[in-house]
Amino acid sequence: NSQGEHKLYGCGHNYYGQLGLGDRRKIEQFEELPIVLAEGYQIERVECGDDHTIVTAKNAEGGQKLYGCGWNINV
């Protein structure tokens, strides 16, 4: 929106932390997800899988950022 607030909501299994909540609670109703975008960026696309969520964001100058959460087997 015009005030720079961006909200993303999700629900689901969350066993691998794919909702980015910092825990592994099963979420049965939509809950706001804690995504903090860089200043001037807006969510462009959200991709969800069984064990991850990927968010791409874009700014007015064409800059892009990628955010992700979920199963990171290669820690």
Side-chain angles (χ1 to χ4, degrees):
N1 69 25
S2 61
Q3 296 175 349
E5 290 184 20
H6 304 278
K7 294 183 179 183
L8 181 62
Y9 292 84
C11 61
H13 184 9
N14 197 37
Y15 183 76
Y16 298 108
Q18 60 266 48
L19 296 177
L21 297 169
D23 58 37
R24 295 168 31 160
R25 292 177 293 130
K26 182 177 181 180
I27 306 300
E28 296 186 11
Q29 294 183 356
F30 282 103
E31 187 171 308
E32 184 177 343
L33 305 181
I35 185 169
V36 179
L37 300 176
E39 188 172 334
Y41 282 80
Q42 294 184 7
I43 293 173
E44 179 179 42
R45 187 173 180 164
V46 178
E47 295 283 336
C48 303
D50 289 341
D51 54 11
H52 67 278
T53 300
I54 303 294
V55 175
T56 56
K58 197 175 214 179
N59 68 10
E61 292 79 35
Q64 294 183 308
K65 293 201 179 278
L66 181 69
Y67 301 84
C69 56
W71 192 20
N72 184 1
I73 194 168
N74 298 312
V75 175

